[in-house]
Amino acid sequence: MKKRTLALLLAATTAVSMTGMNVSAEENLSADGLGGYKIGFFYYSTADTLSQQFHNTLDYCAELTNCEMEYYDMTSWDTESISTAVETLVSNGCDGVIMILGSSPSLYEYLEENEVYYVAQTRSYTDEVALVTDGSEYNCGFVGDLGGESGGNYKSGYDITQVLADEGCTSIAIIGGSEGETMNDERVEGAKAAAEANGMEVVAEYRGSDFLTGSSDILAAYGTDIDGIVVTGGGENVMASVQAAGLTGQIKVVAVDASGDTEAYFDAGMLTATYAGGSTYMVNFYMQLFNALSGADRLFSEEDPRLVPMFQGFIVTSAEEYASAISYTDGEYSGGLLPDEILSFCSLTGGEEMTVEEREALIENYISTDYWNLADIMDRIDNYTAE
């Protein structure tokens, strides 16, 4: 297959739509002469679908930048297990660690003491963590939802619930993670806002970690009084409860996170909508870390704690759409971004002619729904790989 480099999409001092806006890019963008770093990441084993997608995206970024990934498989997420994961990665020689979870200040103190760079989830940023990380050389950014009604978590909860409204649902239940966890709190707030905006009644709500019991209890209490369920995480256990109650098809289930054999759930009528393309934000994590390790310009760093916006997934409503999303965002170009798009995150591998502000605007446009949607991703990759 003959490949051609996608023209580098340049945003000037203000963010603009990516459609039709490009300038010529240098051929053969690469990280030649850079790299050689070992980057650690801890999550579930690759038996978990999302973990495999995370690994694929991180491996793709590491290959582009001549680095090595070091993985640690988690079996539980208590404080001790997270500490063990971080300590193991550091002892294995990692130059940087992607902190998918972990809000203990001692973890960041440990990384600082060992001169290991880190990038973390925004939801891990607390007042106590800020005392350690703000202004630190080793803090490469907190990637994620920036919160509030304009944030991605609120929006994902709102948009996935809107699907139920569009399907004609009038009485719904909301099943979400434990209260006090920002991501789930904001997704639930978004779901409730969509229900109110569309005149849907929230008949029942469960908050906690046992979705199977929570959904079973709701179904036992309300049964056919509900015609839709919103799940702020993975919906596999909820779909099992609906099936066990003999209500598949009568109660529509939408879930923010895909889980299990999503295509089969769609085909069986057990799932109405979910998100895909959710692994791409690993690119944000990786490139923030690579920028610091390579001595490139730091992005989104004018003010600490270096809050970095992240790619959001997009809603899919059929097995066919989900299969296409997986093919184009978890295939050869994992994450759905082309090599020069990823390398343009770094001032040493593709963003040399841009100011920091211009590259930040470029990335914000990559993330926007005008550019980051399944149809456009498919078009860009098809054009890139065309003979």
Side-chain angles (χ1 to χ4, degrees):
M1 302 287 280
K2 181 180 177 182
K3 299 180 182 178
R4 63 178 186 271
T5 302
L6 184 72
L8 198 62
L9 301 170
L10 176 63
T13 55
T14 57
V16 296
S17 170
M18 299 307 255
T19 305
M21 181 68 178
N22 60 67
V23 296
S24 215
E26 291 182 5
E27 295 290 333
N28 301 319
L29 293 175
S30 71
D32 290 346
L34 298 174
Y37 310 111
K38 182 182 285 190
I39 295 174
F41 179 70
F42 57 97
Y43 200 65
Y44 293 119
S45 76
T46 53
D48 176 82
T49 300
L50 183 59
S51 184
Q52 181 66 70
Q53 293 170 356
F54 285 164
H55 281 229
N56 291 346
T57 301
L58 292 170
D59 288 342
Y60 176 44
C61 290
E63 183 177 1
L64 286 174
T65 56
N66 306 318
C67 291
E68 175 187 355
M69 290 302 305
E70 176 81 11
Y71 294 110
Y72 181 94
D73 292 345
M74 302 294 289
T75 56
S76 62
W77 292 96
D78 57 273
T79 300
E80 183 177 353
S81 296
I82 294 173
S83 295
T84 299
V86 173
E87 290 169 4
T88 301
L89 291 171
V90 171
S91 68
N92 286 345
C94 290
D95 302 292
V97 175
I98 296 172
M99 300 284 289
I100 191 72
L101 283 175
S103 56
S104 169
S106 63
L107 284 175
Y108 298 95
E109 290 173 351
Y110 174 78
L111 291 166
E112 299 265 344
E113 290 168 0
N114 285 276
E115 299 182 346
V116 174
Y117 288 81
Y118 55 83
V119 59
Q121 285 255 25
T122 305
R123 65 186 180 187
S124 297
Y125 182 68
T126 64
D127 290 342
E128 292 77 16
V129 167
L131 295 174
V132 179
T133 62
D134 282 10
S136 169
E137 162 68 18
Y138 299 100
N139 172 17
C140 304
F142 284 84
V143 175
D145 188 280
L146 302 186
E149 293 185 8
S150 62
N153 285 323
Y154 182 95
K155 185 176 185 298
S156 64
Y158 191 104
D159 289 351
I160 203 75
T161 305
Q162 182 65 47
V163 174
L164 291 181
D166 294 342
E167 289 286 325
C169 295
T170 59
S171 302
I172 67 171
I174 297 175
I175 296 176
S178 300
E179 291 184 85
E181 210 293 321
T182 302
M183 178 183 72
N184 284 298
D185 286 348
E186 292 185 346
R187 288 178 177 179
V188 169
E189 289 174 11
K192 288 180 176 178
E196 181 178 0
N198 288 278
M200 294 188 295
E201 181 184 3
V202 179
V203 175
E205 179 180 340
Y206 169 80
R207 300 297 302 275
S209 59
D210 188 351
F211 283 10
L212 182 62
T213 299
S215 56
S216 296
D217 288 347
I218 286 174
L219 292 172
Y222 297 98
T224 55
D225 292 339
I226 297 170
D227 54 13
I229 298 178
V230 180
V231 190
T232 68
E236 190 167 14
N237 287 332
V238 177
M239 288 182 282
S241 294
V242 173
Q243 185 180 49
L247 296 172
T248 297
Q250 297 180 55
I251 296 179
K252 299 182 183 300
V253 177
V254 296
V256 173
D257 297 331
S259 60
D261 192 345
T262 301
E263 291 180 56
Y265 293 141
F266 273 122
D267 284 336
M270 299 170 67
L271 181 65
T272 298
T274 190
Y275 271 84
S279 64
T280 304
Y281 72 97
M282 286 295 115
V283 175
N284 302 62
F285 278 112
Y286 184 94
M287 292 306 291
Q288 286 294 117
L289 198 54
F290 180 77
N291 283 347
L293 290 168
S294 65
D297 294 336
R298 301 287 189 101
L299 298 178
F300 305 101
S301 59
E302 183 175 347
E303 296 180 357
D304 279 316
R306 294 197 269 270
L307 295 175
V308 181
M310 67 182 280
F311 284 87
Q312 300 294 326
F314 39 81
I315 291 175
V316 292
T317 58
S318 69
E320 292 74 21
E321 283 186 348
Y322 184 76
S324 293
I326 292 300
S327 175
Y328 281 85
T329 66
D330 198 42
E332 182 178 358
Y333 305 103
S334 297
L337 288 175
L338 297 169
D340 55 341
E341 292 173 322
I342 292 175
L343 292 171
S344 68
F345 282 47
C346 177
S347 62
L348 302 178
T349 63
E352 295 91 337
E353 303 302 319
M354 287 183 280
T355 66
V356 170
E357 292 76 17
E358 286 172 340
R359 280 188 299 114
E360 289 175 351
L362 177 69
I363 292 167
E364 287 172 348
N365 279 309
Y366 283 159
I367 292 168
S368 74
T369 55
D370 289 337
Y371 191 71
W372 185 243
N373 60 76
L374 181 56
D376 284 348
I377 291 169
M378 292 171 67
D379 284 345
R380 287 197 302 276
I381 292 178
D382 285 343
N383 289 335
Y384 186 75
T385 57
E387 291 185 346

